């Protein structure tokens, strides 16, 4: 069987994740803009440029079943090129009550996210600033879901997420093969409920789901 062409990747991934034609067109607009802007700012590594759909888009889409249905306030930490935050905003945008916030400290990347949100018709709200400086009022209250991908070690992610969370909040963090070591480190300072979900994209990776932020820090 001849190898599938790179051009078929968007349709294959859309089919595997139940992406509608309208949402696929918006995802394609995001990827096209990313390809143009990558020449000016470092949004993704050169080695993964040819793998945007299979490595980045699909990795973001796999969070949707874990997020689940219903109105959600979702906060993405360190959104960068929009993975997973903008992808999730595109996918959740058609559901009433969803409210997606992307936090990015780099001014050029925040500008990219604003333009990407505009051309994709996403209602995602872009916050340019350090995660530590974002107050609850800016995002409308504690998040229902907090996401982050390729941002920091798990202990740092938990510390960054905690001020934006309450007892209902779930965090979904992409992690690689060192996840057990990071979990051991994290539990020295935090008392949390943790579930690991196998990644559908990275054979050595997983999605770490964390609950119980309220009062979770150990003395």
């Amino acid at each position: 069987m001849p190898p599938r062409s790179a051009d078929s990747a968007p349709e294959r991934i859309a089919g595997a994740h139940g992406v509608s034609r309208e949402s696929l067109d918006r995802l394609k607009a995001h990827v096209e803009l990313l390809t143009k802007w990558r020449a000016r700012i470092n949004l993704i590594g050169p080695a993964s440029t040819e793998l945007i759909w299979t490595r980045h888009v699909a990795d973001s889409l796999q969070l949707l079943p874990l997020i689940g249905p219903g109105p959600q306030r979702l906060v993405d930490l360190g959104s960068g090129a929009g993975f997973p935050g903008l992808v999730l905003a595109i996918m959740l945008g058609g559901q009433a009550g969803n409210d997606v916030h992307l936090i990015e400290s780099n001014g050029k990347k925040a500008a990219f996210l604003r333009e990407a949100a505009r051309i994709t018709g996403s209602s995602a709200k872009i916050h340019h600033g350090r995660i530590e400086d974002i107050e609850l009022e800016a995002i409308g209250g504690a998040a229902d879901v907090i996401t982050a991908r390729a941002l920091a070690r798990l202990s740092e992610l938990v510390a960054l997420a905690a001020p934006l969370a309450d007892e209902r909040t779930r965090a979904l963090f992409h992690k690689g093969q060192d996840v057990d070591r990071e979990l051991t480190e994290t539990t020295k300072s935090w008392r949390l409920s943790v579930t690991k979900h196998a990644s559908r994209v990275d054979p050595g990776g997983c999605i770490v789901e964390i609950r119980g932020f309220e009062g979770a820090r150990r003395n």
Side-chain angles (χ1 to χ4, degrees):
M1 180 182 295
R4 290 170 171 149
S5 69
D7 291 340
S8 70
E11 282 68 27
R12 287 190 289 110
I13 289 166
H17 294 274
V19 177
S20 70
R21 169 51 60 182
E22 180 182 3
S23 293
L24 177 57
D25 288 343
R26 292 178 176 179
L27 291 173
K28 286 180 176 180
H30 173 202
V31 170
E32 182 178 355
L33 184 71
L34 171 59
T35 302
K36 292 177 180 177
W37 278 56
R38 200 187 70 77
R40 288 184 276 166
I41 61 175
N42 182 27
L43 288 164
I44 59 172
S48 65
T49 300
E50 299 301 320
L51 304 173
I52 292 176
W53 285 93
T54 54
R55 178 175 295 181
H56 299 294
V57 177
D59 204 18
S60 302
L61 290 171
Q62 71 171 314
L63 294 184
L64 289 170
L66 299 177
I67 292 171
Q72 308 270 7
R73 178 180 293 116
L74 186 145
V75 178
D76 185 52
L77 308 179
S79 298
F83 305 116
L86 189 62
V87 170
L88 297 176
I90 290 170
M91 296 301 299
L92 297 173
Q95 302 174 27
N98 285 323
D99 185 22
V100 180
H101 298 261
L102 312 184
I103 303 175
E104 174 54 54
S105 63
N106 182 286
K108 292 181 179 179
K109 292 180 180 179
F112 166 78
L113 290 169
R114 291 192 190 95
E115 178 63 7
R118 185 189 70 80
I119 67 165
T120 60
S122 166
S123 60
K125 301 171 181 66
I126 316 302
H127 302 269
H128 174 212
R130 297 170 69 243
I131 298 166
E132 301 92 322
D133 297 333
I134 302 298
E135 299 183 354
L136 281 179
E137 291 77 8
I139 61 172
D144 295 301
V145 179
I146 298 175
T147 59
R149 180 175 179 266
L151 178 63
R153 294 183 65 81
L154 189 60
S155 57
E156 297 174 54
L157 290 176
V158 170
L160 290 170
L164 305 176
D166 64 13
E167 69 279 0
R168 301 171 297 106
T169 304
R170 295 177 297 131
L172 298 171
F173 297 143
H174 289 79
K175 280 292 157 187
Q177 59 186 7
D178 290 333
V179 62
D180 290 331
R181 186 182 307 169
E182 293 189 32
L183 279 169
T184 299
E185 176 189 10
T186 302
T187 54
K188 293 177 181 178
S189 302
W190 297 89
R191 187 183 300 106
L192 299 161
S193 173
V194 178
T195 304
K196 291 191 295 183
H197 303 276
S199 173
R200 296 175 59 183
V201 174
D202 177 7
C206 68
I207 308 300
V208 177
E209 179 175 357
I210 294 177
R211 299 173 182 260
F213 281 93
E214 192 76 6
R217 185 181 286 278
R218 297 184 186 273
N219 294 329

